[in-house]
Amino acid sequence: MVHEAQAFQQIIDKLARLEEELQKFKLEALRSQIDIGIKQLESGQYTEYNDESLSAFFANIKARGQENLADSDSL
């Protein structure tokens, strides 16, 4: 019984380490995307939005975020 408890704790510990590693990868990816955005802004590669196009822009961001959440939930 003690052996089973130790094995279970090892699995929990490994899962915690993997979750921490996944968060680090997500943070690195976010930082990379921010760096790309900054470089695009500095080089003039950006789009100006008006009230109408801004709504579509936010809807697109929301849809992509929901897709990302669905993808991460399926892992």
Side-chain angles (χ1 to χ4, degrees), residues 7-39:
F8 183 71
Q9 186 61 48
Q10 288 174 344
I11 291 170
I12 291 175
D13 293 345
K14 184 173 184 175
L15 180 58
R17 286 190 305 271
L18 289 172
E19 287 176 347
E20 188 176 307
E21 191 173 324
L22 177 61
Q23 291 303 317
K24 287 179 185 178
F25 284 130
K26 286 181 177 181
L27 184 58
E28 288 174 16
L30 179 60
R31 285 181 177 150
S32 174
Q33 292 296 314
I34 290 171
D35 287 342
I36 289 169
I38 290 170
K39 289 174 184 172

